[in-house]
Amino acid sequence: MGALELRDSVLEYINTADERLLKVVKAVIESYKEEEIVAFSVEGKPITRGAYKAELANAKSEIQKGEFISQDDLEKESENW
């Protein structure tokens, strides 16, 4: 069964599904999306959507704590290398 036939079959189930089945389908889709590769690290390793969101949350937390370096300070620091 190809993708088109699968899509039609799944849509048929969804169009007649009860709330319980719809919740299960939604959970499966959300889980699938969290594991989707959305970026790559500088080393070329894949980063999933879930890991990307976690990194963003961590970065926001560090910024709120004042754990960052200004552009000027970074430029001064790089001159010493």
Side-chain angles (χ1 to χ4, degrees):
M1 186 180 292
L4 185 59
E5 292 87 7
L6 283 171
R7 187 175 293 115
D8 288 342
S9 178
V10 169
L11 284 173
E12 192 174 313
Y13 281 116
I14 288 173
N15 287 332
T16 60
D18 62 3
E19 185 176 351
R20 181 173 159 250
L21 178 58
L22 291 172
K23 286 180 179 180
V24 169
V25 170
K26 183 176 185 274
V28 168
I29 291 169
E30 288 172 352
S31 176
Y32 176 83
K33 294 291 278 181
E34 285 298 308
E35 296 305 315
E36 179 182 18
I37 295 171
V38 294
F40 291 88
S41 71
V42 293
E43 295 88 17
K45 294 180 183 177
I47 301 172
T48 64
R49 183 180 308 275
Y52 187 74
K53 286 180 182 178
E55 287 293 324
L56 286 177
N58 186 45
K60 286 180 182 180
S61 175
E62 288 175 353
I63 291 168
Q64 289 173 345
K65 293 176 191 173
E67 299 173 358
F68 59 89
I69 187 169
S70 71
Q71 180 73 31
D72 290 336
D73 289 343
L74 181 61
E75 288 173 3
K76 289 176 190 173
E77 192 176 298
S78 68
E79 289 172 1
N80 296 329
W81 288 3

